[in-house]
């Protein structure tokens, strides 16, 4: 995650009120002084004197008119786990201390009371479970006046938000499309050219290079003077891969939370797994010299045309990290356009027919289609009987949907499995060598 520019909060003038402890202490001192006057006991007046003197000096202190400024800066943590923050609170002269409430990701709250010097260098690390756009840190501040005679009303400070990039796994073996059509690359194509495997031996023709002449074959097979035989090879080409991300919803493992698009789980959700899988596949294919494009089904991400290279990978990384659900999973989505002779990878939970129907259509038109199931292992332990019945129906429909895709040639893997079968192993099983057609 790149460093984020400081997020200053609005400059605010603190709204001062008398400290309740000071008010109660003053009332008690007045009561003791009056009681000493009525009863003629001077020791009570001696006890009340410090509070009265404090009230006299505290009442003369100037309150108001000063400005409080809070600035929060986010950056990747040194350990690489979570997001680091630095909060600077500039206190007015009338403040003796400040109480800072930090609300970090996951709705956890921490309150610290510090002096003006320490308030300028508050720093720490917020552990982050999920990827994508999210609120990292929210601050509220309350000031303590000189002598503790007054406090300010708690006021909101800046909100630090960031787009947390997903992690990615290293992949060595990847499935290829049924044929490759690029001009150059790391894979053998069906057309003759340079750089690939041996194709055949043929008579020299215009355009053939002299270094391709096979002198031994020429000596054995030449029938007329001047006949030359050349070795021909297959040309190399790059693969075209289109990653289709279903960003319409974001589901956790707890089935009781599937009714809403927001959740409070600290475990990876379906969209976390989809971002991780998409970035892992994009990185592996681009590092292999192939071209990768991105298409989004719903969600907020924009589509990215096919391309390769480091700059294109950075563009894909930022786009993938920005995928967020729309909250409306029932709205229809337009079927994305997919270039010919491409490998289509559909990443979805497949809880409805839209992504599955598109995968079936692409498979029927000749594309090689791989369905990546990103639904976390469901947990129905907290569900009541009605929720359990609904979950069973949804699961049966989903199983039928996956079985129909498998029957029509759509290959299927799970990005999260319970039996230790990692995604890299599943992709290796799909990466058997295929003769490019």
């Amino acid at each position: 995650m790149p460093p984020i520019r400081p997020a200053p909060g609005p400059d605010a003038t603190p709204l001062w009120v008398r400290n309740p402890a000071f008010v109660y202490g003053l009332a008690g001192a007045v009561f003791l002084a009056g009681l000493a006057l009525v009863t003629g006991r001077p020791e009570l007046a001696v006890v009340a004197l410090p509070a009265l003197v404090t009230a006299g000096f505290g009442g003369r202190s100037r309150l108001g008119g000063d400005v409080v400024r809070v600035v929060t800066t986010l950056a990747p943590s040194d350990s690489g786990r979570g997001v680091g923050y630095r909060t600077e609170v500039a206190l007015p002269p009338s403040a003796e201390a400040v109480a800072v409430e930090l609300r970090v990701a996951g709705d956890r709250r921490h309150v610290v009371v510090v002096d003006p010097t320490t308030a300028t260098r508050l720093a720490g690390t917020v552990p982050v479970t999920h990827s994508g756009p999210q609120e990292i840190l929210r601050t509220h501040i309350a000031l303590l006046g000189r002598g503790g005679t007054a406090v300010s009303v708690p006021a909101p400070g800046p909100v630090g938000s960031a787009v947390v990039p997903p992690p990615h796994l290293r992949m060595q073996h990847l499935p290829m499309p049924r044929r490759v059509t690029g001009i150059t690359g790391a894979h053998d194509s069906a057309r003759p050219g340079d750089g690939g495997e041996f194709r055949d031996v043929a008579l020299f023709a215009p355009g053939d290079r002299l270094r391709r002449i096979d002198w031994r074959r020429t000596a054995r097979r030449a029938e007329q003077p001047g006949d030359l035989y050349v070795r021909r090879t297959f040309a190399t080409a790059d693969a075209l891969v289109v990653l289709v991300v279903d960003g319409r919803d974001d589901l956790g493992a707890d089935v009781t939370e599937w009714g809403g698009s927001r959740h409070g789980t600290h475990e990876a959700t379906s969209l976390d797994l989809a971002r991780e899988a998409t970035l892992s596949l994009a990185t592996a294919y681009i590092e292999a010299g192939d071209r990768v494009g991105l298409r989004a089904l719903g969600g907020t991400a924009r589509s990215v045309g096919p391309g390769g290279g480091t700059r294109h990978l950075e563009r894909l990384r930022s786009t993938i990290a920005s995928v967020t659900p729309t909250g409306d999973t029932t709205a229809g989505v337009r079927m994305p356009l997919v270039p010919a002779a491409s490998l289509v990878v559909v990443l979805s939970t497949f809880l409805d027919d839209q992504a599955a129907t598109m995968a079936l259509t692409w498979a029927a038109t000749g594309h090689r289609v791989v369905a990546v199931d990103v639904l976390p292992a469901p947990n129905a332990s907290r569900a009541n009987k009605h929720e359990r019945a609904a979950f069973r129906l949804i699961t049966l429909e989903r199983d039928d949907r996956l079985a129909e895709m498998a029957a029509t040639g759509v290959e299927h893997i799970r990005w999260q499995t319970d039996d230790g079968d990692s995604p890299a192993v599943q992709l290796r099983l799909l990466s058997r060598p295929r003769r490019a057609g």
Side-chain angles (χ1 to χ4, degrees):
M1 186 187 76
I4 300 173
R5 63 181 182 180
D11 294 344
T13 301
L15 178 60
W16 293 98
V17 296
R18 289 299 175 185
N19 191 340
F22 169 76
V23 174
Y24 294 148
L26 179 60
V30 172
F31 174 75
L32 290 176
L35 187 62
L37 183 62
V38 172
T39 60
R41 299 177 62 182
E43 65 272 16
L44 296 178
V46 173
V47 174
L49 182 61
L52 294 174
V53 172
T54 302
F57 283 102
R60 296 173 58 187
S61 61
R62 185 178 64 87
L63 299 176
D66 296 319
V67 175
V68 181
R69 182 172 179 82
V70 185
V71 178
T72 296
T73 305
L74 302 180
S77 64
D78 296 335
S79 63
R81 300 178 180 178
V83 178
Y85 70 88
R86 180 181 179 87
T87 299
E88 301 176 6
V89 184
L91 299 180
S94 57
E96 183 175 355
V98 59
V100 183
E101 181 186 75
L102 304 174
R103 301 182 184 180
V104 300
D107 201 23
R108 297 182 296 272
R109 301 185 181 187
H110 306 277
V111 179
V112 295
V113 180
V114 294
D115 56 39
T117 302
T118 307
T120 60
R121 55 175 188 268
L122 297 175
T125 301
V126 178
V128 176
T129 305
H130 306 289
S131 60
Q134 57 191 284
E135 181 181 298
I136 302 298
L137 182 70
R138 180 185 293 267
T139 59
H140 285 74
I141 59 172
L143 307 183
L144 179 66
R146 293 289 179 183
T149 59
V151 295
S152 69
V153 176
V159 178
S161 300
V163 179
V164 180
H168 69 274
L169 306 178
R170 297 194 64 84
M171 303 292 171
Q172 296 182 348
H173 303 277
L174 300 168
M176 289 289 108
R178 292 192 171 93
R179 60 190 180 94
V180 289
T181 58
I183 298 176
T184 184
H187 313 290
D188 291 328
S189 68
R191 69 180 188 277
D194 295 330
E197 295 181 352
F198 174 75
R199 183 172 183 262
D200 59 9
V201 176
L203 285 171
F204 185 90
D208 290 336
R209 298 184 179 182
L210 295 178
R211 63 184 179 88
R212 291 285 185 182
I213 298 176
D214 187 339
W215 296 105
R216 292 184 179 180
R217 188 62 60 90
T218 298
R220 291 197 304 265
R221 296 182 57 178
E223 298 179 356
Q224 299 179 7
D227 285 349
L228 297 175
Y229 284 86
V230 294
R231 295 173 58 87
R232 299 194 300 181
T233 59
F234 288 103
T236 57
D238 55 13
L240 178 58
V241 181
V242 178
L243 305 174
V244 182
V245 184
D246 188 355
R248 294 173 298 149
D249 54 14
D250 191 10
L251 305 179
D254 190 353
V255 300
T256 62
E257 297 178 349
W258 285 8
S261 61
R262 305 304 299 171
H263 48 77
T265 180
H266 298 295
E267 300 178 351
T269 63
S270 62
L271 203 50
D272 291 329
L273 296 177
R275 296 190 194 101
E276 177 186 303
T278 306
L279 181 57
S280 300
L281 293 171
T283 303
Y285 278 110
I286 289 181
E287 288 180 349
D290 298 318
R291 292 176 294 154
V292 178
L294 179 67
R295 301 289 186 268
L297 302 183
T300 58
R302 62 185 186 276
S303 296
V304 179
T310 303
R311 295 185 62 180
H312 185 72
L313 178 58
E314 290 300 324
R315 183 184 179 190
L316 286 173
R317 181 179 287 111
S318 61
T319 304
I320 293 168
S322 66
V323 176
T324 54
T326 57
D328 185 7
T329 59
T330 60
V333 292
R334 180 177 299 179
M335 186 171 180
L337 297 178
V338 173
S342 58
L343 169 68
V344 184
V345 182
V346 183
L347 303 100
S348 175
T349 59
F350 298 105
L351 289 178
D352 60 17
D353 290 328
Q354 296 200 37
T357 301
M358 294 179 187
L360 294 173
T361 304
W362 285 319
T365 55
H367 295 283
R368 186 181 183 187
V369 182
V370 176
V372 180
D373 182 7
V374 295
L375 182 68
N379 180 9
S381 60
R382 296 175 51 189
N384 56 37
K385 63 178 182 179
H386 302 291
E387 292 170 335
R388 289 177 183 271
F391 170 67
R392 285 195 293 267
L393 290 175
I394 293 175
T395 302
L396 290 174
E397 293 178 352
R398 180 174 178 272
D399 291 342
D400 290 342
R401 202 171 290 120
L402 295 175
E404 182 182 0
M405 288 194 295
T408 55
V410 177
E411 297 161 290
H412 171 259
I413 68 170
R414 287 201 62 185
W415 201 257
Q416 184 185 59
T417 57
D418 301 327
D419 54 3
D421 193 8
S422 68
V425 174
Q426 299 177 68
L427 289 171
R428 183 173 184 174
L429 297 176
L430 299 182
S431 62
R432 302 183 184 93
R434 291 171 175 260
R435 173 63 66 183

